């Protein structure tokens, strides 16, 4: 049995817990959930982070970038594997250096809301990647940021057609749109260079689905992936499929999905 604790009981963490408790991955026991507020009704106990680290083999972060930056090293140094959902935390090169120096626990990042990452990793190991970009289109309300003044918030909220509200490097996106950076950071990690990734964010009042267009030109080939996900009912900033990506990643780490041929 592999013992697993989840950090975060939100739009991603809850369905992950339900899937694991329901037996989605063989030989996994969920020890508990760590959350910064009371979780209410939940099929596993709410526990403190110290207890999760003490009694789990794998910690699954579904809470936010701060959890990775504040607790990542501690988790890895305790010899626990860490599966990260908030990939945007890894846009900070100093943090990445500290996490890579920590251990013996291993660090993994789920593919989350996007696909094609496997091919980009292969392409980056085959030769140079010359260009990479991510264009994300979401409902305007999901792109509002606390730093925006009232006039900017209103302009974004009231937009009647697809409008580019940010264009820049992944590093700049990390600063201005931290919650929208997870996909850009994942692509940056896949191609081995976050600086390479050009990010464009589009506010579209007609965007029933959240879309990510990922493009890359490399020695190995030229790639274009278009992903269109339904938002999670619990949190429209998150795509509903992400919890399933987390369960899939976990099954790759610790076992195999029940009743399925695993695509790795
Ligand atoms: N990789 C991807 O494709 C992808 C996609 C969407 C979201 N994400 C990441 O996943 C995270 C979770 O997304 P969500 O939609 O479930 O968010 P959510 O807001 O619905 O849930 C987050 C939960 O974590 C808890 N939490 C927050 N900070 C905490 C802390 N320091 N300690 C313990 N608990 C804490 C909150 O109380 C909440 O219950 C996001 O912050 C984002 O960084 C990644």
């Amino acid at each position: 049995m592999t013992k697993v604790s989840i950090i975060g009981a939100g739009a991603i963490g809850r369905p992950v817990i339900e899937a694991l408790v329901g037996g989605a991955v063989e030989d996994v026991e969920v020890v508990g959930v760590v959350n910064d507020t009371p979780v209410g009704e939940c099929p596993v106990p709410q526990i403190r982070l110290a207890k999760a680290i003490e009694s789990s083999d794998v910690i699954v972060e579904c809470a936010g970038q701060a959890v990775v930056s504040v607790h990542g090293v501690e988790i890895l140094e305790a010899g626990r594997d860490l599966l990260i959902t908030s990939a945007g935390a890894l846009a900070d090169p100093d943090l990445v250096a500290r996490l890579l120096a920590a251990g013996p626990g291993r660090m993994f990042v789920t593919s989350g809301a996007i696909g094609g990452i496997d091919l980009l990793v292969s392409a980056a190991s085959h030769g140079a990647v010359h260009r990479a970009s991510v264009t994300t289109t979401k409902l305007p309300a999901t792109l509002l940021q606390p730093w925006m003044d009232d006039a900017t918030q209103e302009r974004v909220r009231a937009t009647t057609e697809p409008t580019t509200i940010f264009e820049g490097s992944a590093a700049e996106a990390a600063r201005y749109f931290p919650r929208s950076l997870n996909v850009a950071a994942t692509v940056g990690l896949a191609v081995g260079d976050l600086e390479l990734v050009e990010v464009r964010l589009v506010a579209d009042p007609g965007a029933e689905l959240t879309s990510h267009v990922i493009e890359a030109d490399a020695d190995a080939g030229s790639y274009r992936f278009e992903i269109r996900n339904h938002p999670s009912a619990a949190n429209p900033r998150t795509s509903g499929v992400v919890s399933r990506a987390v369960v899939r990643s976990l099954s790759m780490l610790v076992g195999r999905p029940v009743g399925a041929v695993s695509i790795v």
Side-chain angles (χ1 to χ4, degrees):
M1 273 291 177
T2 303
K3 296 191 172 177
V4 175
S5 287
I6 315 295
I7 308 181
I12 299 173
R14 260 181 203 275
V16 167
I17 292 166
E18 279 157 19
L20 296 179
V21 169
V25 183
E26 263 181 9
D27 300 332
V28 159
E29 180 190 329
V30 185
V31 175
V33 61
V34 179
N35 203 72
D36 60 352
T37 54
V39 297
E41 205 172 310
C42 188
V44 299
Q46 182 166 4
I47 57 176
R48 300 177 75 85
L49 180 63
K51 160 93 174 156
I53 294 176
E54 178 195 304
S55 47
S56 311
D57 303 299
V58 182
I59 308 280
V60 181
E61 175 276 318
C62 309
Q65 294 178 18
V67 168
V68 180
S69 50
V70 176
H71 300 294
V73 167
E74 175 189 356
I75 291 167
L76 297 173
E77 282 184 344
R80 308 312 182 214
D81 288 348
L82 173 61
L83 175 58
I84 294 171
T85 304
S86 298
L90 304 180
D92 172 357
D94 293 340
L95 175 64
V96 172
R98 285 192 291 117
L99 290 168
L100 290 176
R106 301 170 302 163
M107 174 173 60
F108 301 91
V109 177
T110 182
S111 53
I114 55 171
I117 291 309
D118 46 357
L119 191 56
L120 292 181
V121 172
S122 305
S125 66
H126 182 72
V129 178
H130 307 291
R131 195 187 71 82
S133 65
V134 174
T135 301
T136 295
T137 304
K138 287 186 171 186
L139 287 170
T142 66
L143 289 168
L144 296 173
Q145 301 297 321
W147 54 260
M148 289 177 174
D149 58 28
D150 289 352
T152 309
Q153 294 225 5
E154 193 43 40
R155 210 166 42 243
V156 173
R157 208 180 273 120
T159 183
T160 53
E161 56 186 36
T163 306
T164 298
I165 61 163
F166 172 81
E167 225 165 343
S169 69
E172 285 169 318
R175 204 155 49 241
Y176 295 118
F177 294 88
R179 284 200 53 121
S180 298
L181 181 71
N182 292 299
V183 165
T186 305
V187 172
L189 293 166
V191 300
D193 184 0
L194 222 92
E195 293 300 316
L196 202 62
V197 184
E198 299 154 18
V199 181
R200 190 154 80 96
L201 293 176
V202 180
D204 180 0
E208 279 175 34
L209 283 78
T210 296
S211 89
H212 304 284
V213 176
I214 299 159
E215 293 177 292
D217 290 320
D219 287 343
S222 180
Y223 306 101
R224 185 179 193 279
F225 309 102
E226 178 167 355
I227 291 113
R228 300 180 77 227
N229 287 319
H230 281 289
S232 152
N235 179 359
R237 288 173 186 260
T238 288
S239 295
V241 75
V242 176
S243 63
R244 283 292 154 174
V246 172
V247 172
R248 198 189 92 84
S249 299
L250 190 61
S251 75
M252 293 303 113
L253 302 186
V254 304
R256 60 191 174 92
V258 173
V261 176
S262 300
I263 295 176
V264 294

